Amino acid sequence: MKVAKKNKIIDVLVFLVLLAVVSVITFTLFYNQTRGSEALYHSDMKAYILEMQGLDSGYSFPYPVFFKISAFFHLFVNPQLAVALATLLLNSGAMVIVKLALNYHVLAQMEDGFPKRKWLAGVIISFVSIALFFVSMLFPPEGIYLPGIKFEYLGVFTANPFHNATYMAARPFTILAYLWFAKLLDCYEQGYSGKRRVPKGGTAAGQLAGGVAASFGQAAEGVATLAGAQQGVAMYDYVLFALFLLLATMTKPSFTIVMVGAAGLIMVWRMVRSKFQNFWPTIQLGLCFIPTFIDLLYQFKGVFVPTEGEEGGIGFTFGKIWGLYTDNLPLAICLGVGFPLAVLVLNWKQLKTNTLFRFAWQIYLMGFAMAFFLYEKGFRWADFNFSWGYMCGIFFAFLGSMMVLLPATGQKKKPLWLALQWGPFLWHLACGIYYFMGIAQGQMYY
């Protein structure tokens, strides 16, 4: 017991130190973005500050969560600091959620692989939990040309666009929505009850979603008793998923559009495959999306309304907008998701058994399809706003891949097999740190 307690203390302390360091570093960037010139620190922070104050920013931001949190901080500090603090709170909060989830899901398995140094398992997970928020697209040193690749960021894209605060602000809610929906995917066809259900066998998704809740301990009794290793779903699981998805939508809807598309196809396919025998459970799960659909209609009404003399709405294309930024889409994809692709190739069978791994790739593929086939008509057609959903897909491809790689690391599989996966991840991380340093010093994001 003393050893276990010591390991837990080491785990918590290491993570808190890492979190404190990266929070200081990222806050410095966020604050500079609010104060510096847009030419030096290119972002929408200036517009966010105006929106938070209720002033005309020149843009439409019909998603208020980030701005309301900023407004709360504005009661005590100046507008620039308020927006920077809100960005910091939500971005660092997402790191905490990932750490709690990974701890519950893979910590025990990893500790088995380090019987004499179990504390090392927690340290590795802490490192990964932070690193996931710094990985970027792969790019070579300056002077080395890659065929068809015009920019480091544009056309390739990254899981961590440090120049966009609303993307980072939405991530705590998108991660929670992803975890809870993956959990529901394993159980919703059995329906729900007001009590805990125990289906046959536990699932990875149930463990992970339950782990987040359990890790928060006594914060709320209902949340604290969420699914464990062999526990099904209760009605409040549906309520929590609906809440997380709505909050994500009200912070930035990019993930929601992609997630709803992927979830909808999965639910329809399952219903057809079962010959509609799961019709009512599907309807029950579908009800969770209604608050989000209502909010999306409100948002789209303000965003996709055409200006005078301009065409409005959403159009269809075949990579035309994406082609503005890269002439080599296959290479751009590999540079963006090199690590997840390596994990996918070497762990193909996990798609059948690991719901979180499979659903992460389904989100990625939906994000890719929307970025490739859809575009926003009117004067913003070249802004490639559907790329935000694709970047959400990249992030979850990374996160889902770690759900597979970390347990495999604890099992100490063949060194070469592990190196073929950890190598690309560390490469993404090295590029990401270099990319972040450049933006922090005032370089342009593209």
Side-chain angles (χ1 to χ4, degrees), residues 234-314:
M235 184 169 62
Y236 49 70
D237 287 297
Y238 289 77
V239 174
L240 285 172
F241 165 66
L243 176 63
F244 295 144
L245 185 63
L246 179 61
L247 288 172
T249 309
M250 295 177 66
T251 310
K252 190 178 183 72
S254 303
F255 166 80
T256 301
I257 299 170
V258 172
M259 193 269 189
V260 168
L265 288 178
I266 294 169
M267 292 163 64
V268 169
W269 163 251
R270 286 188 173 190
M271 189 162 57
V272 172
R273 188 182 61 180
S274 71
K275 298 181 180 179
F276 294 86
Q277 293 182 14
N278 66 344
F279 178 78
W280 286 114
T282 301
I283 293 298
Q284 290 173 347
L285 181 55
L287 292 175
C288 297
F289 294 89
I290 290 180
T292 290
F293 286 153
I294 294 173
D295 187 56
L296 283 175
L297 289 174
Y298 166 75
Q299 292 182 12
F300 288 174
K301 181 180 179 181
V303 173
F304 291 103
V305 174
T307 58
E308 186 175 352
E310 290 277 355
E311 188 178 13
I314 298 174

Side-chain angles (χ1 to χ4, degrees), residues 49-63:
I49 292 171
L50 293 173
E51 183 75 18
M52 180 266 295
Q53 295 176 293
L55 304 175
D56 183 14
S57 64
Y59 298 92
S60 178
F61 297 117
Y63 27 89

Side-chain angles (χ1 to χ4, degrees), residues 4-71:
K5 185 176 181 180
K6 178 182 176 181
N7 291 338
K8 187 173 183 180
I9 292 174
I10 293 175
D11 182 22
V12 172
L13 288 178
V14 169
F15 177 72
L16 289 179
V17 170
L18 289 174
L19 182 65
V21 171
V22 300
S23 294
V24 171
I25 293 172
T26 54
F27 174 74
T28 301
L29 172 62
F30 301 150
Y31 194 36
N32 285 338
Q33 287 174 335
T34 64
R35 297 187 306 162
S37 67
E38 293 186 7
L40 186 61
Y41 291 101
H42 186 84
S43 70
D44 290 332
M45 285 295 206
K46 302 291 186 180
Y48 297 159
I49 292 171
L50 293 173
E51 183 75 18
M52 180 266 295
Q53 295 176 293
L55 304 175
D56 183 14
S57 64
Y59 298 92
S60 178
F61 297 117
Y63 27 89
V65 170
F66 172 66
F67 303 107
K68 293 298 183 183
I69 295 175
S70 300

Side-chain angles (χ1 to χ4, degrees), residues 10-219:
I10 293 175
D11 182 22
V12 172
L13 288 178
V14 169
F15 177 72
L16 289 179
V17 170
L18 289 174
L19 182 65
V21 171
V22 300
S23 294
V24 171
I25 293 172
T26 54
F27 174 74
T28 301
L29 172 62
F30 301 150
Y31 194 36
N32 285 338
Q33 287 174 335
T34 64
R35 297 187 306 162
S37 67
E38 293 186 7
L40 186 61
Y41 291 101
H42 186 84
S43 70
D44 290 332
M45 285 295 206
K46 302 291 186 180
Y48 297 159
I49 292 171
L50 293 173
E51 183 75 18
M52 180 266 295
Q53 295 176 293
L55 304 175
D56 183 14
S57 64
Y59 298 92
S60 178
F61 297 117
Y63 27 89
V65 170
F66 172 66
F67 303 107
K68 293 298 183 183
I69 295 175
S70 300
F72 172 77
F73 284 119
H74 185 34
L75 297 174
F76 312 100
V77 297
N78 63 60
Q80 292 78 13
L81 184 56
V83 172
L85 285 173
T87 309
L88 172 69
L89 173 68
L90 293 166
N91 187 60
S92 295
M95 298 179 191
V96 175
I97 292 171
V98 168
K99 166 63 176 174
L100 294 174
L102 289 177
N103 253 23
Y104 187 87
H105 185 56
V106 304
L107 181 59
Q109 298 176 62
M110 290 197 67
E111 285 180 338
D112 291 340
F114 303 95
K116 296 182 179 180
R117 292 176 292 179
K118 290 189 175 183
W119 57 267
L120 186 57
V123 171
I124 293 173
I125 292 174
S126 294
F127 166 79
V128 168
S129 300
I130 299 296
L132 284 170
F133 292 82
F134 283 90
V135 293
S136 77
M137 60 275 148
L138 301 175
F139 55 88
E142 293 184 13
I144 298 179
Y145 172 74
L146 295 178
I149 303 301
K150 303 177 183 179
F151 308 98
E152 291 178 354
Y153 164 82
L154 288 173
V156 180
F157 302 112
T158 175
N160 296 294
F162 299 111
H163 61 282
N164 191 272
T166 50
Y167 173 96
M168 292 182 285
R171 221 157 18 181
F173 311 119
T174 65
I175 295 169
L176 289 170
Y178 158 77
L179 296 176
W180 253 263
F181 188 76
K183 176 189 175 183
L184 292 173
L185 273 178
D186 285 326
C187 305
Y188 81 90
E189 289 169 308
Q190 303 174 30
Y192 65 79
S193 70
K195 300 180 180 180
R196 291 181 288 178
R197 298 176 60 90
V198 183
K200 294 181 180 179
T203 63
Q207 292 177 29
L208 184 55
V212 177
S215 297
F216 280 110
Q218 289 76 28

Side-chain angles (χ1 to χ4, degrees), residues 421-437:
Q421 297 171 80
W422 279 109
F425 178 78
L426 295 176
W427 189 8
H428 277 284
L429 179 59
C431 289
I433 292 173
Y434 185 80
Y435 180 66
F436 178 86
M437 290 172 58

